[in-house]
């Protein structure tokens, strides 16, 4: 596919994911829409422009893996997996209902395509590291992608894994930080500042790229493997906007787990076109 | 490090059986990998490292990452044995054990080394006497506590073949080999080490051989004590416990662990709901004072004489 066509396809998928995720949150009156919307362009790019997978064979050993460390952003993950063909759209209507496969945080035993159970923050990067080490041990060429929130990087377990990954020269390992600069209550820098985040990862032995996390073309470029591959793990700091795409949600910490009333829902649907 | 326990003739450190077995298994199955937190020596994995340098993943002193990496290796089709001092493996990384291993259900084997009070004088920070209470409610994890070298080797072989999470709890305290006819390791089943009708002593790990000695002591007084080796703490062999309660009418539990929430707690939960009988729970009531392993065992009555005393007490509490 030509790059412009690919970018258009990804944008279309991302738009569908935003509309569908917001509908799920509205119907359930539960969810984390702010973080869904900051992450959706990144996840859409991975599933519809970068990753190798077959939804009919979710356990295929050579599949690329995506680990959703910010497990609360299920609106983004569940819509991506649905659009990728892992399960029918009907399932999305059960979001957070009793006995649903679509729990408030993802469970790999409920849903095909979910690589590990996340929810408590700081778990995804170590698990993804183990997957990447397994690939290195077996000489497999699959790639491992993990998405963390930025506030999540306050958890120490991430830095244990970051140190270990840097020392292991894992060229097929990519971390994307959803850098929306807001955690649930207020800004990351007001809470426990992360900057300079790029220097931190460079010091831990990673390649670092800082991009606009809503620029699909930039995401495709950064997430695609360069000719000849890499010799270090890659950290992409994706500058994003919490609530991206809906005017009254953008950059508002209250939409971390805010849910829309009917009027807000209708306004959002008018904007998401 | 704590001073090694005085070597007694015929007593063996179960870590040697673990190390031998994991090396043998790894020879035949390239999927087997070891994950450690700078714990190569204390896990006796020096030989493994020499034979399979690439398959020993040392993440350094970072237990949360260590357990997460174990889950990831399982996702990547490996069979990881995550081996570290059990106090740090289960305590420091408890949320990873819960979410990444038990809840996610990955095929990871956690091997807790130097459990109980094996680190003696180093104190409660280094003791692992809470691990049973922490792991028992994580119902996906099988909790296995071998009582001797033979059972250690069998448990490790079984764990490698079993698809799912397992916690194997080992000691560094030398123990003798149990004498049981036609032994076969059966996960989830109590092993009858001695038959008896007056009282049942249910023990695990380092306590089983002491329970056998206690039964010998009791026999001299005409008391017939059954001894069960409860090598699997979770899931519990409820049928064996029910049989012990109904056939002997009194139970003593003995574990190198906190009595709250461990083997004794599990046995009491089952019997109180089904067949209430007098139970004496032996172990540690909480953080223990400074002392060698031998001193601590003696201080808390974890000796043949102490177990026999509890058995008499349990018998004395029987009704009618």
């Amino acid at each position: 596919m030509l790059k412009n066509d690919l970018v258009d396809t990804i944008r279309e998928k991302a738009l569908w994911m935003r509309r569908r995720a917001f509908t799920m949150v509205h119907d359930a009156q539960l969810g984390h829409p702010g973080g869904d919307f900051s992450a959706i362009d990144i996840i859409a790019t991975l599933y519809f422009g970068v990753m190798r997978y077959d939804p009919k064979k979710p356990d295929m050993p050579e599949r690329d893996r995506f680990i959703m460390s910010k497990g609360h952003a299920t609106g983004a993950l569940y819509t991506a997996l649905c659009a990728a063909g892992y399960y029918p759209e009907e399932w999305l209507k059960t979001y957070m209902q009793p006995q649903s496969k679509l729990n408030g945080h993802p469970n790999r035993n409920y849903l095909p395509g979910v690589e590990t159970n996340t929810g408590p923050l700081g778990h995804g990067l170590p698990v993804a590291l183990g997957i990447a080490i397994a690939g290195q041990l077996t000489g497999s060429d699959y790639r491992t992608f993990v998405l963390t929130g930025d506030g999540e990087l306050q958890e120490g377990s991430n830095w244990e894994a970051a140190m270990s990954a840097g020392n292991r020269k894992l060229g097929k390992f990519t971390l994307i930080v959803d850098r929306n600069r807001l955690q649930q209550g207020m800004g990351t820098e007001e809470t426990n500042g992360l900057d300079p985040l790029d220097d931190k990862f460079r010091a831990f032995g990673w390649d670092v790229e800082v991009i606009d996390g809503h620029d699909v073309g930039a995401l495709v470029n950064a997430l695609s493997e360069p000719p000849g591959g890499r010799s270090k793990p890659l950290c992409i700091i994706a500058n994003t906007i919490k609530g991206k795409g809906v005017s009254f949600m953008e950059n508002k910490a209250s939409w971390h787990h805010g849910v829309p009333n009917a009027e807000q829902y209708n306004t959002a649907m008018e904007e998401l076109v | 490090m704590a001073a090694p326990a005085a070597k007694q003739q015929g007593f063996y450190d179960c870590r040697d059986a673990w190390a031998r077995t994991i090396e043998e298994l790894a020879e035949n199955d390239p999927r087997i990998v070891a994950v450690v937190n700078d714990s190569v020596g204390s896990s006796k994995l020096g030989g493994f490292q020499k034979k399979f340098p690439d398959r020993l993943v040392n993440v350094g002193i970072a237990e949360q990452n260590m357990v997460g990496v174990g889950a990831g290796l399982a996702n990547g089709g490996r069979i990881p044995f995550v081996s570290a001092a059990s106090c740090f493996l289960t305590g420091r990384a408890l949320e990873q054990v819960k979410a990444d291993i038990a809840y996610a259900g990955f095929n990871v084997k956690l091997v807790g080394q130097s459990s109980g009070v094996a680190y003696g004088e180093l104190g409660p920070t280094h003791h692992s006497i809470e691990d049973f209470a922490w792991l028992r409610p994580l119902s996906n994890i099988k909790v296995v506590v071998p009582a001797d070298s033979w059972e250690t080797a069998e448990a490790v072989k079984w764990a490698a073949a079993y698809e799912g999470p397992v916690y194997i709890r080992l000691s560094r305290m030398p123990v003798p080999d149990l004498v049981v006819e036609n032994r076969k390791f059966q996960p989830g089943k109590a092993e009858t080490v001695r038959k008896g009708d007056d009282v049942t002593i249910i023990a695990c790990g380092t306590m089983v051989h002491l329970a056998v000695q206690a039964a010998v002591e009791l026999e001299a007084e005409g008391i017939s004590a059954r001894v069960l080796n409860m090598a699997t703490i979770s899931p519990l062999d409820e049928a064996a416990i029910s049989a012990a309660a109904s056939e002997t009418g009194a139970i003593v539990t003995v574990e190198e662990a906190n009595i709250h929430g461990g083997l004794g707690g599990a046995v009491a939960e089952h019997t109180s709901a089904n067949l209430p009988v007098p139970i004496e729970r032996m172990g540690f009531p909480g953080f223990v004072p400074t002392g060698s392993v031998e001193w601590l065992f003696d201080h808390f009555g974890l000796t043949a004489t102490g177990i026999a005393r509890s058995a008499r007490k349990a018998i004395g509490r029987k009704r009618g």
Side-chain angles (χ1 to χ4, degrees), chain A residues 63 65 107-109 115-117 120 123 126-127 129-131 137-138 157 160-161 168, chain B residues 33 54 57-58 62 64-65 68-69 72-73 75-76 78 95-96 100 103-106:
Chain A
R63 71 192 182 279
R65 270 80 162 172
N107 182 325
R108 75 184 192 102
N109 301 302
E115 294 288 353
T116 189
N117 297 18
H123 283 240
V127 175
L129 171 63
I131 297 173
L137 279 174
T138 54
S157 51
E160 294 183 1
R168 288 179 176 274
Chain B
V33 294
D54 295 341
V57 179
N58 190 345
Q64 299 181 70
N65 187 37
V69 163
L73 285 162
N75 175 299
R78 305 298 88 194
E95 191 184 77
Q96 278 74 18
D100 305 349
Y103 180 51
F106 277 116

mmCIF file of all heavy atoms in Angstrom, chain A residues 63 65 107-109 115-117 120 123 126-127 129-131 137-138 157 160-161 168, chain B residues 33 54 57-58 62 64-65 68-69 72-73 75-76 78 95-96 100 103-106:
data_model
loop_
_atom_site.group_PDB
_atom_site.id
_atom_site.type_symbol
_atom_site.label_atom_id
_atom_site.label_comp_id
_atom_site.label_asym_id
_atom_site.label_seq_id
_atom_site.Cartn_x
_atom_site.Cartn_y
_atom_site.Cartn_z
ATOM 1 N N ARG A 63 4.003 -14.223 15.648
ATOM 2 C CA ARG A 63 3.261 -12.953 15.603
ATOM 3 C C ARG A 63 4.044 -11.842 16.304
ATOM 4 O O ARG A 63 4.785 -12.104 17.260
ATOM 5 C CB ARG A 63 1.899 -13.112 16.306
ATOM 6 C CG ARG A 63 2.016 -13.256 17.832
ATOM 7 C CD ARG A 63 0.725 -13.696 18.473
ATOM 8 N NE ARG A 63 0.810 -13.780 19.928
ATOM 9 C CZ ARG A 63 1.335 -14.809 20.609
ATOM 10 N NH1 ARG A 63 1.839 -15.847 19.966
ATOM 11 N NH2 ARG A 63 1.354 -14.786 21.930
ATOM 12 N N ARG A 65 3.966 -8.891 18.913
ATOM 13 C CA ARG A 65 3.163 -8.739 20.136
ATOM 14 C C ARG A 65 2.945 -7.270 20.468
ATOM 15 O O ARG A 65 3.878 -6.471 20.355
ATOM 16 C CB ARG A 65 3.893 -9.362 21.337
ATOM 17 C CG ARG A 65 3.620 -10.826 21.613
ATOM 18 C CD ARG A 65 4.400 -11.722 20.718
ATOM 19 N NE ARG A 65 4.454 -13.088 21.257
ATOM 20 C CZ ARG A 65 4.946 -14.118 20.580
ATOM 21 N NH1 ARG A 65 5.408 -13.952 19.355
ATOM 22 N NH2 ARG A 65 4.984 -15.320 21.133
ATOM 23 N N ASN A 107 -8.053 -9.161 29.965
ATOM 24 C CA ASN A 107 -7.702 -10.491 30.460
ATOM 25 C C ASN A 107 -7.458 -11.390 29.243
ATOM 26 O O ASN A 107 -8.353 -11.581 28.426
ATOM 27 C CB ASN A 107 -8.853 -11.039 31.312
ATOM 28 C CG ASN A 107 -8.537 -12.412 31.898
ATOM 29 O OD1 ASN A 107 -7.863 -13.230 31.267
ATOM 30 N ND2 ASN A 107 -9.030 -12.678 33.087
ATOM 31 N N ARG A 108 -6.273 -11.929 29.134
ATOM 32 C CA ARG A 108 -5.900 -12.715 27.954
ATOM 33 C C ARG A 108 -6.691 -14.018 27.865
ATOM 34 O O ARG A 108 -6.805 -14.606 26.801
ATOM 35 C CB ARG A 108 -4.398 -13.016 27.949
ATOM 36 C CG ARG A 108 -3.976 -14.089 28.919
ATOM 37 C CD ARG A 108 -2.461 -14.274 28.925
ATOM 38 N NE ARG A 108 -2.098 -15.480 29.649
ATOM 39 C CZ ARG A 108 -1.756 -16.625 29.071
ATOM 40 N NH1 ARG A 108 -1.691 -16.736 27.764
ATOM 41 N NH2 ARG A 108 -1.461 -17.677 29.801
ATOM 42 N N ASN A 109 -7.219 -14.460 29.019
ATOM 43 C CA ASN A 109 -7.982 -15.709 29.021
ATOM 44 C C ASN A 109 -9.427 -15.500 28.552
ATOM 45 O O ASN A 109 -10.137 -16.450 28.268
ATOM 46 C CB ASN A 109 -7.965 -16.334 30.411
ATOM 47 C CG ASN A 109 -6.553 -16.626 30.871
ATOM 48 O OD1 ASN A 109 -5.826 -17.351 30.203
ATOM 49 N ND2 ASN A 109 -6.135 -16.030 31.969
ATOM 50 N N GLU A 115 -2.390 -10.096 25.000
ATOM 51 C CA GLU A 115 -1.162 -10.857 25.250
ATOM 52 C C GLU A 115 -0.919 -11.147 26.727
ATOM 53 O O GLU A 115 -0.299 -12.136 27.082
ATOM 54 C CB GLU A 115 0.054 -10.122 24.681
ATOM 55 C CG GLU A 115 0.040 -10.012 23.161
ATOM 56 C CD GLU A 115 0.317 -11.342 22.456
ATOM 57 O OE1 GLU A 115 0.658 -12.329 23.119
ATOM 58 O OE2 GLU A 115 0.162 -11.387 21.217
ATOM 59 N N THR A 116 -1.346 -10.219 27.595
ATOM 60 C CA THR A 116 -1.174 -10.457 29.031
ATOM 61 C C THR A 116 -2.196 -9.614 29.783
ATOM 62 O O THR A 116 -2.763 -8.684 29.224
ATOM 63 C CB THR A 116 0.252 -10.134 29.514
ATOM 64 O OG1 THR A 116 0.406 -10.581 30.870
ATOM 65 C CG2 THR A 116 0.548 -8.639 29.459
ATOM 66 N N ASN A 117 -2.439 -9.981 31.026
ATOM 67 C CA ASN A 117 -3.409 -9.244 31.834
ATOM 68 C C ASN A 117 -2.719 -8.008 32.408
ATOM 69 O O ASN A 117 -1.667 -8.130 33.043
ATOM 70 C CB ASN A 117 -3.918 -10.114 32.983
ATOM 71 C CG ASN A 117 -4.657 -11.341 32.495
ATOM 72 O OD1 ASN A 117 -4.526 -11.740 31.334
ATOM 73 N ND2 ASN A 117 -5.424 -11.965 33.358
ATOM 74 N N PRO A 120 -2.900 -3.111 36.946
ATOM 75 C CA PRO A 120 -1.982 -2.450 37.872
ATOM 76 C C PRO A 120 -0.834 -1.872 37.045
ATOM 77 O O PRO A 120 -0.287 -2.567 36.181
ATOM 78 C CB PRO A 120 -1.509 -3.569 38.797
ATOM 79 C CG PRO A 120 -1.804 -4.840 38.087
ATOM 80 C CD PRO A 120 -2.911 -4.574 37.114
ATOM 81 N N HIS A 123 3.321 -3.024 34.980
ATOM 82 C CA HIS A 123 3.467 -4.466 34.730
ATOM 83 C C HIS A 123 3.825 -4.787 33.281
ATOM 84 O O HIS A 123 4.455 -5.794 33.002
ATOM 85 C CB HIS A 123 2.171 -5.201 35.091
ATOM 86 C CG HIS A 123 1.992 -5.390 36.565
ATOM 87 N ND1 HIS A 123 1.884 -6.624 37.159
ATOM 88 C CD2 HIS A 123 1.916 -4.491 37.566
ATOM 89 C CE1 HIS A 123 1.739 -6.469 38.464
ATOM 90 N NE2 HIS A 123 1.744 -5.185 38.737
ATOM 91 N N PRO A 126 7.930 -4.995 31.995
ATOM 92 C CA PRO A 126 8.667 -6.230 32.318
ATOM 93 C C PRO A 126 8.169 -7.453 31.535
ATOM 94 O O PRO A 126 8.983 -8.253 31.063
ATOM 95 C CB PRO A 126 8.432 -6.404 33.824
ATOM 96 C CG PRO A 126 8.178 -5.031 34.340
ATOM 97 C CD PRO A 126 7.435 -4.338 33.232
ATOM 98 N N VAL A 127 6.858 -7.591 31.385
ATOM 99 C CA VAL A 127 6.341 -8.753 30.654
ATOM 100 C C VAL A 127 6.777 -8.672 29.186
ATOM 101 O O VAL A 127 7.234 -9.652 28.589
ATOM 102 C CB VAL A 127 4.810 -8.859 30.774
ATOM 103 C CG1 VAL A 127 4.272 -9.990 29.904
ATOM 104 C CG2 VAL A 127 4.389 -9.075 32.232
ATOM 105 N N LEU A 129 9.344 -7.195 28.067
ATOM 106 C CA LEU A 129 10.782 -7.492 28.035
ATOM 107 C C LEU A 129 11.023 -8.997 27.978
ATOM 108 O O LEU A 129 11.860 -9.483 27.206
ATOM 109 C CB LEU A 129 11.462 -6.880 29.274
ATOM 110 C CG LEU A 129 12.911 -7.266 29.528
ATOM 111 C CD1 LEU A 129 13.811 -6.794 28.394
ATOM 112 C CD2 LEU A 129 13.391 -6.674 30.857
ATOM 113 N N GLY A 130 10.276 -9.737 28.785
ATOM 114 C CA GLY A 130 10.411 -11.201 28.762
ATOM 115 C C GLY A 130 10.074 -11.774 27.394
ATOM 116 O O GLY A 130 10.744 -12.698 26.904
ATOM 117 N N ILE A 131 9.053 -11.210 26.752
ATOM 118 C CA ILE A 131 8.677 -11.673 25.403
ATOM 119 C C ILE A 131 9.819 -11.388 24.426
ATOM 120 O O ILE A 131 10.180 -12.235 23.599
ATOM 121 C CB ILE A 131 7.379 -10.981 24.938
ATOM 122 C CG1 ILE A 131 6.209 -11.363 25.846
ATOM 123 C CG2 ILE A 131 7.069 -11.347 23.485
ATOM 124 C CD1 ILE A 131 4.919 -10.597 25.563
ATOM 125 N N LEU A 137 16.279 -15.263 22.372
ATOM 126 C CA LEU A 137 16.811 -16.604 22.682
ATOM 127 C C LEU A 137 16.567 -17.588 21.546
ATOM 128 O O LEU A 137 17.389 -18.469 21.294
ATOM 129 C CB LEU A 137 16.114 -17.162 23.940
ATOM 130 C CG LEU A 137 16.611 -16.708 25.294
ATOM 131 C CD1 LEU A 137 15.714 -17.258 26.392
ATOM 132 C CD2 LEU A 137 18.047 -17.146 25.508
ATOM 133 N N THR A 138 15.408 -17.445 20.892
ATOM 134 C CA THR A 138 15.042 -18.425 19.873
ATOM 135 C C THR A 138 15.406 -17.947 18.466
ATOM 136 O O THR A 138 15.140 -18.652 17.493
ATOM 137 C CB THR A 138 13.523 -18.707 19.922
ATOM 138 O OG1 THR A 138 12.827 -17.469 19.825
ATOM 139 C CG2 THR A 138 13.135 -19.377 21.220
ATOM 140 N N SER A 157 9.038 -0.424 38.767
ATOM 141 C CA SER A 157 9.249 -1.650 38.000
ATOM 142 C C SER A 157 9.617 -1.333 36.548
ATOM 143 O O SER A 157 10.359 -2.092 35.909
ATOM 144 C CB SER A 157 7.983 -2.516 38.038
ATOM 145 O OG SER A 157 6.845 -1.750 37.682
ATOM 146 N N GLU A 160 13.353 -0.880 36.390
ATOM 147 C CA GLU A 160 14.050 -2.178 36.455
ATOM 148 C C GLU A 160 14.112 -2.784 35.054
ATOM 149 O O GLU A 160 15.155 -3.269 34.606
ATOM 150 C CB GLU A 160 13.302 -3.151 37.385
ATOM 151 C CG GLU A 160 13.270 -2.754 38.851
ATOM 152 C CD GLU A 160 12.572 -3.787 39.745
ATOM 153 O OE1 GLU A 160 12.111 -4.840 39.233
ATOM 154 O OE2 GLU A 160 12.494 -3.544 40.951
ATOM 155 N N ALA A 161 12.974 -2.746 34.373
ATOM 156 C CA ALA A 161 12.916 -3.349 33.033
ATOM 157 C C ALA A 161 13.694 -2.509 32.024
ATOM 158 O O ALA A 161 14.362 -3.057 31.136
ATOM 159 C CB ALA A 161 11.457 -3.492 32.591
ATOM 160 N N ARG A 168 20.566 -5.426 27.355
ATOM 161 C CA ARG A 168 20.442 -6.621 26.506
ATOM 162 C C ARG A 168 20.417 -6.307 25.011
ATOM 163 O O ARG A 168 20.296 -7.218 24.207
ATOM 164 C CB ARG A 168 19.175 -7.404 26.900
ATOM 165 C CG ARG A 168 19.347 -8.075 28.220
ATOM 166 C CD ARG A 168 18.144 -8.840 28.675
ATOM 167 N NE ARG A 168 18.503 -9.492 29.913
ATOM 168 C CZ ARG A 168 19.104 -10.672 29.978
ATOM 169 N NH1 ARG A 168 19.349 -11.348 28.882
ATOM 170 N NH2 ARG A 168 19.453 -11.181 31.130
ATOM 171 N N VAL B 33 14.177 -22.384 30.706
ATOM 172 C CA VAL B 33 15.116 -21.306 31.012
ATOM 173 C C VAL B 33 15.016 -21.001 32.512
ATOM 174 O O VAL B 33 14.013 -21.306 33.149
ATOM 175 C CB VAL B 33 14.812 -20.017 30.203
ATOM 176 C CG1 VAL B 33 15.031 -20.243 28.716
ATOM 177 C CG2 VAL B 33 13.395 -19.519 30.445
ATOM 178 N N ASP B 54 23.174 -18.838 27.832
ATOM 179 C CA ASP B 54 22.150 -17.963 27.256
ATOM 180 C C ASP B 54 20.788 -18.160 27.911
ATOM 181 O O ASP B 54 19.925 -17.292 27.831
ATOM 182 C CB ASP B 54 21.983 -18.249 25.755
ATOM 183 C CG ASP B 54 23.238 -17.912 24.992
ATOM 184 O OD1 ASP B 54 24.063 -17.150 25.542
ATOM 185 O OD2 ASP B 54 23.407 -18.427 23.869
ATOM 186 N N VAL B 57 18.674 -16.145 32.576
ATOM 187 C CA VAL B 57 18.372 -14.716 32.446
ATOM 188 C C VAL B 57 18.509 -14.087 33.830
ATOM 189 O O VAL B 57 17.695 -14.326 34.717
ATOM 190 C CB VAL B 57 16.941 -14.510 31.896
ATOM 191 C CG1 VAL B 57 16.624 -13.028 31.778
ATOM 192 C CG2 VAL B 57 16.778 -15.209 30.542
ATOM 193 N N ASN B 58 19.569 -13.307 34.003
ATOM 194 C CA ASN B 58 19.815 -12.665 35.293
ATOM 195 C C ASN B 58 19.443 -11.193 35.166
ATOM 196 O O ASN B 58 20.140 -10.429 34.506
ATOM 197 C CB ASN B 58 21.293 -12.825 35.670
ATOM 198 C CG ASN B 58 21.566 -12.403 37.109
ATOM 199 O OD1 ASN B 58 20.734 -11.742 37.742
ATOM 200 N ND2 ASN B 58 22.713 -12.779 37.629
ATOM 201 N N ALA B 62 16.133 -7.151 41.074
ATOM 202 C CA ALA B 62 14.941 -6.479 40.541
ATOM 203 C C ALA B 62 13.824 -7.515 40.443
ATOM 204 O O ALA B 62 13.542 -8.045 39.374
ATOM 205 C CB ALA B 62 15.262 -5.887 39.172
ATOM 206 N N GLN B 64 10.482 -7.438 40.814
ATOM 207 C CA GLN B 64 9.251 -7.182 40.059
ATOM 208 C C GLN B 64 9.501 -7.465 38.582
ATOM 209 O O GLN B 64 8.704 -8.108 37.905
ATOM 210 C CB GLN B 64 8.804 -5.731 40.242
ATOM 211 C CG GLN B 64 8.498 -5.371 41.679
ATOM 212 C CD GLN B 64 8.047 -3.921 41.773
ATOM 213 O OE1 GLN B 64 6.970 -3.563 41.329
ATOM 214 N NE2 GLN B 64 8.880 -3.085 42.342
ATOM 215 N N ASN B 65 10.627 -6.969 38.091
ATOM 216 C CA ASN B 65 10.985 -7.215 36.690
ATOM 217 C C ASN B 65 11.208 -8.712 36.462
ATOM 218 O O ASN B 65 10.774 -9.270 35.456
ATOM 219 C CB ASN B 65 12.241 -6.422 36.353
ATOM 220 C CG ASN B 65 12.587 -6.473 34.879
ATOM 221 O OD1 ASN B 65 11.706 -6.455 34.030
ATOM 222 N ND2 ASN B 65 13.867 -6.543 34.569
ATOM 223 N N GLY B 68 7.853 -10.451 36.091
ATOM 224 C CA GLY B 68 7.240 -10.023 34.835
ATOM 225 C C GLY B 68 7.947 -10.651 33.638
ATOM 226 O O GLY B 68 7.299 -11.127 32.695
ATOM 227 N N VAL B 69 9.260 -10.668 33.673
ATOM 228 C CA VAL B 69 10.035 -11.283 32.589
ATOM 229 C C VAL B 69 9.688 -12.772 32.478
ATOM 230 O O VAL B 69 9.567 -13.315 31.381
ATOM 231 C CB VAL B 69 11.555 -11.068 32.815
ATOM 232 C CG1 VAL B 69 12.391 -12.027 31.965
ATOM 233 C CG2 VAL B 69 11.933 -9.624 32.478
ATOM 234 N N GLY B 72 6.577 -13.019 30.515
ATOM 235 C CA GLY B 72 6.840 -12.734 29.110
ATOM 236 C C GLY B 72 7.539 -13.888 28.409
ATOM 237 O O GLY B 72 7.223 -14.218 27.260
ATOM 238 N N LEU B 73 8.476 -14.519 29.097
ATOM 239 C CA LEU B 73 9.166 -15.676 28.506
ATOM 240 C C LEU B 73 8.164 -16.795 28.218
ATOM 241 O O LEU B 73 8.270 -17.487 27.202
ATOM 242 C CB LEU B 73 10.269 -16.175 29.445
ATOM 243 C CG LEU B 73 11.526 -15.298 29.488
ATOM 244 C CD1 LEU B 73 12.359 -15.590 30.739
ATOM 245 C CD2 LEU B 73 12.384 -15.513 28.234
ATOM 246 N N ASN B 75 4.986 -16.308 27.531
ATOM 247 C CA ASN B 75 4.251 -15.844 26.342
ATOM 248 C C ASN B 75 5.040 -16.181 25.076
ATOM 249 O O ASN B 75 4.473 -16.543 24.052
ATOM 250 C CB ASN B 75 4.013 -14.329 26.445
ATOM 251 C CG ASN B 75 3.355 -13.744 25.201
ATOM 252 O OD1 ASN B 75 3.911 -13.823 24.114
ATOM 253 N ND2 ASN B 75 2.174 -13.157 25.354
ATOM 254 N N GLY B 76 6.360 -16.096 25.174
ATOM 255 C CA GLY B 76 7.226 -16.398 24.035
ATOM 256 C C GLY B 76 7.541 -17.884 23.882
ATOM 257 O O GLY B 76 8.466 -18.238 23.144
ATOM 258 N N ARG B 78 8.657 -20.127 26.110
ATOM 259 C CA ARG B 78 9.674 -20.764 26.974
ATOM 260 C C ARG B 78 8.982 -21.340 28.221
ATOM 261 O O ARG B 78 7.833 -21.004 28.511
ATOM 262 C CB ARG B 78 10.736 -19.743 27.424
ATOM 263 C CG ARG B 78 11.450 -18.980 26.307
ATOM 264 C CD ARG B 78 12.242 -19.863 25.382
ATOM 265 N NE ARG B 78 11.415 -20.338 24.291
ATOM 266 C CZ ARG B 78 11.736 -21.336 23.464
ATOM 267 N NH1 ARG B 78 12.868 -21.956 23.605
ATOM 268 N NH2 ARG B 78 10.931 -21.705 22.491
ATOM 269 N N GLU B 95 2.563 -8.500 43.750
ATOM 270 C CA GLU B 95 1.545 -8.085 42.779
ATOM 271 C C GLU B 95 1.827 -8.682 41.398
ATOM 272 O O GLU B 95 0.890 -9.009 40.658
ATOM 273 C CB GLU B 95 1.458 -6.568 42.685
ATOM 274 C CG GLU B 95 0.230 -6.146 41.901
ATOM 275 C CD GLU B 95 0.150 -4.665 41.687
ATOM 276 O OE1 GLU B 95 0.880 -4.144 40.814
ATOM 277 O OE2 GLU B 95 -0.629 -4.012 42.402
ATOM 278 N N GLN B 96 3.117 -8.827 41.046
ATOM 279 C CA GLN B 96 3.443 -9.473 39.768
ATOM 280 C C GLN B 96 3.061 -10.953 39.817
ATOM 281 O O GLN B 96 2.570 -11.504 38.832
ATOM 282 C CB GLN B 96 4.942 -9.334 39.461
ATOM 283 C CG GLN B 96 5.336 -7.992 38.835
ATOM 284 C CD GLN B 96 5.319 -6.832 39.810
ATOM 285 O OE1 GLN B 96 5.333 -7.020 41.029
ATOM 286 N NE2 GLN B 96 5.302 -5.615 39.295
ATOM 287 N N ASP B 100 0.486 -11.105 36.957
ATOM 288 C CA ASP B 100 1.185 -11.582 35.750
ATOM 289 C C ASP B 100 1.246 -13.109 35.688
ATOM 290 O O ASP B 100 1.315 -13.677 34.603
ATOM 291 C CB ASP B 100 2.623 -11.049 35.693
ATOM 292 C CG ASP B 100 2.704 -9.534 35.785
ATOM 293 O OD1 ASP B 100 1.667 -8.868 35.678
ATOM 294 O OD2 ASP B 100 3.816 -9.012 35.985
ATOM 295 N N TYR B 103 -3.195 -14.636 37.819
ATOM 296 C CA TYR B 103 -4.400 -14.166 37.118
ATOM 297 C C TYR B 103 -4.254 -14.350 35.608
ATOM 298 O O TYR B 103 -5.177 -14.814 34.940
ATOM 299 C CB TYR B 103 -4.641 -12.700 37.482
ATOM 300 C CG TYR B 103 -5.848 -12.064 36.838
ATOM 301 C CD1 TYR B 103 -7.107 -12.657 36.883
ATOM 302 C CD2 TYR B 103 -5.734 -10.827 36.201
ATOM 303 C CE1 TYR B 103 -8.210 -12.058 36.295
ATOM 304 C CE2 TYR B 103 -6.835 -10.215 35.617
ATOM 305 C CZ TYR B 103 -8.064 -10.836 35.657
ATOM 306 O OH TYR B 103 -9.153 -10.233 35.078
ATOM 307 N N ALA B 104 -3.088 -14.016 35.086
ATOM 308 C CA ALA B 104 -2.876 -14.208 33.644
ATOM 309 C C ALA B 104 -2.733 -15.693 33.311
ATOM 310 O O ALA B 104 -2.977 -16.106 32.187
ATOM 311 C CB ALA B 104 -1.645 -13.431 33.172
ATOM 312 N N GLY B 105 -2.330 -16.492 34.284
ATOM 313 C CA GLY B 105 -2.279 -17.941 34.097
ATOM 314 C C GLY B 105 -1.124 -18.414 33.222
ATOM 315 O O GLY B 105 -1.249 -19.406 32.510
ATOM 316 N N PHE B 106 -0.001 -17.732 33.284
ATOM 317 C CA PHE B 106 1.138 -18.139 32.449
ATOM 318 C C PHE B 106 1.836 -19.382 33.010
ATOM 319 O O PHE B 106 1.843 -19.634 34.222
ATOM 320 C CB PHE B 106 2.149 -16.997 32.326
ATOM 321 C CG PHE B 106 1.781 -16.001 31.259
ATOM 322 C CD1 PHE B 106 1.482 -14.691 31.590
ATOM 323 C CD2 PHE B 106 1.721 -16.380 29.927
ATOM 324 C CE1 PHE B 106 1.138 -13.770 30.611
ATOM 325 C CE2 PHE B 106 1.380 -15.473 28.934
ATOM 326 C CZ PHE B 106 1.087 -14.164 29.276
#
